[in-house]
Amino acid sequence: MQIIQSRKELRQGIKNARSDGKTIGFVPTMGFLHRGHLSLMRRARKENDLVVASIFVNPTQFGPNEDLEAYPRDAQRDIDLMTAESVDIAFFPTVEALYPEGYTTFVDVEGPMTQVLCGQSRPTHFRGVTTIVAKLFNMVAPDRAYFGQKDAQQVAVIRRMAADLDFDLSIVVCPIVRETDGLAMSSRNTYLTPEQRENAPQLNKALIMSREMVEKGERSGPAVRKAIESRINGVNGAVIDYVAVVNAESLAELQTLEGKVLIALAVKFGTTRLIDNVQIDVRDQLA
Amino acid sequence: MQIIQSRKELRQGIKNARSDGKTIGFVPTMGFLHRGHLSLMRRARKENDLVVASIFVNPTQFGPNEDLEAYPRDAQRDIDLMTAESVDIAFFPTVEALYPEGYTTFVDVEGPMTQVLCGQSRPTHFRGVTTIVAKLFNMVAPDRAYFGQKDAQQVAVIRRMAADLDFDLSIVVCPIVRETDGLAMSSRNTYLTPEQRENAPQLNKALIMSREMVEKGERSGPAVRKAIESRINGVNGAVIDYVAVVNAESLAELQTLEGKVLIALAVKFGTTRLIDNVQIDVRDQLA
């Protein structure tokens, strides 16, 4: 595995692969890799000749009072894990290289899609995400880019951005990877106290319950949302940021469930904010 | 020359050129071509294996009360001119294809650079420019993109955008092409009445005068600006939008002239707004 810090060197690597006719798969991450990230790399490895993964804790997607400084980092561990997944190029850019003095350009998906759900409590988050992803797409010029379904809103926003700005690539979305007790993998899980960690799987349990409600015929968005809220309000130490029942592509709130439905939530345990979701394809079933 | 309307067909043309190892030069235009545009195509022809030119009157760079509808169009004439310049691919996308329903992504160079000069009277103009240029860069993936120095602020903003978003291409800037009486070529010159047309070359004359002031030792930005303003205020029918003496890269106003200096102006004759500029490299000359 090549470990690359400079854009120039990255571009040379990409250019060489391209001139050999190789396809390129790209996995952008903020590092502190867990099995969720590794599943993306494995999928990219299967589908492409060259696999590039980036490790960059992107400052523009953190708000002023968020956990940018505290965000867990362990480059050596990440390198070992990527090596084991047969990643070809590990790209570790510096903040100074990607956001030099005088940097002023931002890519923004405007409108409700970035204002609802996580956008409500993190108003500049997705602008940071789309900006860094557009930059990385331009640097890596991949055929396929891999994202985890855990960040469902991020997936919808990046799909929108990639289509709107005519990026010539496929967005590949991989399923949520969970701990054995159901907690969705996240680098932020390391923040949890033992007691919070014990209660955190209740988020997944609430989502499973909601899916079962829908499977049994429930079609009211508010009814599903309230059932989840009521369940999570009973979990020790859990403070709801949002529970949302929305169209999976537009993220518009649904009164009546139909089509591709996303049920998503963000819940705080102390200062740690966890997100999780379930996607359900609701077909009209005639009685 | 291939005349292409669909992105898919364009991409196939680009892909074929790439796999043959060809370099790609790109000239984005809004059509109604004049000798300024043709000079860009000629330069692109010299420097690249494949030349792509686009003709697209981009709605997002026009304000609500601007001349989008009236903007002159003549596709057949443009096709003939591009054929004569040996352009390989003429790309004529539709508004519906580039901005489909649900389109919400914008690329924005934030801060003073897009708020001064033309940005003052056209507050959303550059956001439209950077968005369409980013889209076209993603579609064409050129090695070099060609722009005219007449739109000096556009050049500075696009340079900033391309660097910030890590586009892997060179921005090539070509000199202003003028009518024999000095009027800078512009598709909007066709709006001028015969009398306005007769007075319009005074803009260039005022800029020549300002250059001569600097060559004779004037180093005060405000003094240069006032001299231009006073001269243009004496031109029949001319109404100044702005006269600015700024750093050519940052577009920051200069009290004292040094380095690369841009002297730019926008002046209205009736409803027609004309722009022009001169760039001067001011070295410190010790007495």
Side-chain angles (χ1 to χ4, degrees):
Chain A
M1 186 177 74
Q2 257 189 296
I3 299 170
I4 291 181
Q5 207 182 27
S6 90
R7 271 176 299 191
K8 207 177 149 189
E9 218 182 315
L10 174 70
R11 282 208 167 115
Q12 197 50 56
I14 299 293
K15 213 168 194 171
N16 294 344
R18 280 274 168 235
S19 68
D20 294 348
K22 288 183 179 174
T23 58
I24 298 172
F26 175 47
V27 184
T29 82
M30 298 214 299
F32 210 73
L33 303 174
H34 52 65
R35 285 194 288 118
H37 300 111
L38 302 185
S39 76
L40 305 180
M41 294 173 190
R42 215 162 294 162
R43 176 89 179 264
R45 180 72 283 165
K46 255 191 207 159
E47 298 179 346
N48 302 276
D49 301 319
L50 186 91
V51 175
V52 180
S54 62
I55 306 279
F56 182 65
V57 181
N58 173 40
T60 63
Q61 73 191 67
F62 287 80
N65 298 314
E66 290 179 8
D67 57 344
L68 172 60
E69 293 309 319
Y71 199 84
R73 292 159 168 93
D74 189 339
Q76 189 51 57
R77 184 170 159 277
D78 290 343
I79 288 170
D80 295 343
L81 288 166
M82 288 188 283
T83 305
E85 295 301 337
S86 308
V87 168
D88 296 298
I89 294 179
F91 182 46
F92 283 85
T94 65
V95 173
E96 293 70 31
L98 294 202
Y99 298 112
E101 214 191 302
Y103 187 97
T104 46
T105 307
F106 290 89
V107 175
D108 204 1
V109 172
E110 302 182 352
M113 182 182 278
T114 51
Q115 292 161 358
V116 297
L117 311 190
C118 291
Q120 258 185 315
S121 55
R122 309 185 74 187
T124 61
H125 172 66
F126 289 107
R127 172 172 169 276
V129 169
T130 43
T131 299
I132 190 66
V133 170
K135 283 167 67 67
L136 289 165
F137 281 1
N138 280 341
M139 283 182 259
V140 178
D143 297 279
R144 297 175 195 84
Y146 296 81
F147 295 89
Q149 175 60 24
K150 203 204 78 183
D151 300 290
Q153 186 173 13
Q154 172 174 281
V155 163
V157 170
I158 287 174
R159 275 192 196 285
R160 181 83 251 169
M161 186 272 284
D164 280 356
L165 294 188
D166 303 288
F167 279 102
D168 189 13
L169 47 81
S170 304
I171 304 290
V172 182
V173 180
C174 301
I176 300 177
V177 178
R178 299 181 179 280
E179 304 285 355
T180 48
D181 59 10
L183 176 63
M185 295 266 176
S186 165
S187 305
R188 290 192 171 96
N189 289 348
T190 56
Y191 296 151
L192 298 169
T193 66
E195 198 199 337
Q196 290 167 343
R197 175 65 190 79
E198 202 171 308
N199 291 321
Q202 291 300 323
L203 306 188
N204 180 43
K205 293 213 163 64
L207 290 169
I208 292 172
M209 172 203 71
S210 72
R211 190 178 56 207
E212 287 169 354
M213 285 174 73
V214 177
E215 284 167 357
K216 282 180 191 151
E218 181 61 72
R219 290 293 178 271
S220 158
V224 170
R225 178 172 52 73
K226 281 171 196 161
I228 296 173
E229 285 171 351
S230 139
R231 175 153 182 159
I232 291 176
N233 283 330
V235 175
N236 206 358
V239 177
I240 293 174
D241 178 8
Y242 67 80
V243 175
V245 181
V246 298
N247 177 285
E249 274 168 34
S250 69
L251 306 183
E253 201 179 324
L254 294 175
Q255 291 301 312
T256 303
L257 306 193
E258 60 176 337
K260 285 192 178 169
V261 174
L262 173 70
I263 306 177
L265 53 79
V267 172
K268 274 188 149 186
F269 286 90
T271 55
T272 302
R273 187 173 170 281
L274 301 179
I275 60 175
D276 201 349
N277 68 82
V278 64
Q279 199 172 308
I280 310 172
D281 200 351
V282 179
R283 292 146 206 269
D284 263 346
Q285 297 158 323
L286 294 174
Chain B
M1 186 175 74
Q2 258 189 295
I3 299 170
I4 292 181
Q5 208 181 25
S6 89
R7 269 175 302 190
K8 205 177 152 190
E9 218 182 314
L10 174 70
R11 282 210 166 113
Q12 196 52 54
I14 299 292
K15 212 169 195 171
N16 294 345
R18 281 272 167 236
S19 68
D20 293 348
K22 288 183 176 171
T23 58
I24 298 172
F26 176 49
V27 184
T29 83
M30 297 212 302
F32 209 72
L33 302 175
H34 53 64
R35 287 194 287 116
H37 299 112
L38 303 184
S39 76
L40 305 180
M41 294 173 190
R42 214 160 297 161
R43 175 88 179 266
R45 181 70 283 164
K46 256 191 207 161
E47 298 179 345
N48 302 275
D49 301 319
L50 186 92
V51 175
V52 180
S54 63
I55 307 279
F56 182 64
V57 181
N58 173 40
T60 63
Q61 72 192 67
F62 288 80
N65 298 313
E66 291 181 5
D67 58 345
L68 173 62
E69 292 310 317
Y71 199 86
R73 293 160 168 90
D74 190 339
Q76 190 50 59
R77 184 171 161 277
D78 289 343
I79 288 170
D80 295 344
L81 288 166
M82 287 188 283
T83 306
E85 297 300 337
S86 308
V87 166
D88 298 298
I89 295 179
F91 182 46
F92 283 83
T94 65
V95 173
E96 294 69 32
L98 295 202
Y99 298 111
E101 214 191 300
Y103 187 97
T104 46
T105 307
F106 290 89
V107 175
D108 204 2
V109 172
E110 302 184 350
M113 181 181 278
T114 51
Q115 293 161 357
V116 296
L117 313 188
C118 292
Q120 257 184 317
S121 55
R122 309 185 74 189
T124 60
H125 173 65
F126 289 107
R127 171 171 167 277
V129 169
T130 42
T131 298
I132 190 64
V133 169
K135 283 169 65 69
L136 289 165
F137 281 1
N138 281 341
M139 282 182 260
V140 179
D143 297 281
R144 296 175 196 83
Y146 296 80
F147 295 88
Q149 175 60 26
K150 203 204 76 185
D151 300 291
Q153 186 174 13
Q154 173 175 279
V155 164
V157 170
I158 288 174
R159 275 193 195 287
R160 180 85 251 169
M161 184 273 283
D164 281 356
L165 293 189
D166 304 288
F167 279 103
D168 189 14
L169 48 81
S170 302
I171 305 290
V172 182
V173 181
C174 300
I176 299 176
V177 178
R178 299 180 180 281
E179 303 286 355
T180 49
D181 60 8
L183 176 63
M185 296 268 179
S186 166
S187 306
R188 291 192 169 98
N189 291 347
T190 55
Y191 296 151
L192 297 170
T193 67
E195 197 200 338
Q196 290 168 343
R197 176 64 189 80
E198 202 172 308
N199 291 320
Q202 292 300 324
L203 306 187
N204 180 42
K205 292 213 166 57
L207 290 169
I208 291 173
M209 174 203 71
S210 73
R211 191 178 55 206
E212 286 168 356
M213 285 174 73
V214 177
E215 283 167 358
K216 283 179 187 150
E218 181 61 73
R219 290 294 178 270
S220 159
V224 170
R225 178 172 52 73
K226 282 172 196 160
I228 297 173
E229 285 172 352
S230 143
R231 176 155 182 157
I232 292 176
N233 283 330
V235 176
N236 206 357
V239 177
I240 292 174
D241 180 7
Y242 67 79
V243 175
V245 181
V246 299
N247 177 284
E249 277 169 32
S250 70
L251 306 183
E253 201 180 325
L254 293 175
Q255 290 302 310
T256 304
L257 307 193
E258 59 175 340
K260 286 193 175 168
V261 174
L262 173 71
I263 305 177
L265 52 78
V267 172
K268 276 190 147 185
F269 286 90
T271 56
T272 303
R273 187 173 170 280
L274 302 179
I275 59 173
D276 200 349
N277 69 83
V278 62
Q279 199 172 307
I280 311 172
D281 201 351
V282 178
R283 290 145 208 268
D284 262 348
Q285 297 158 324
L286 293 174

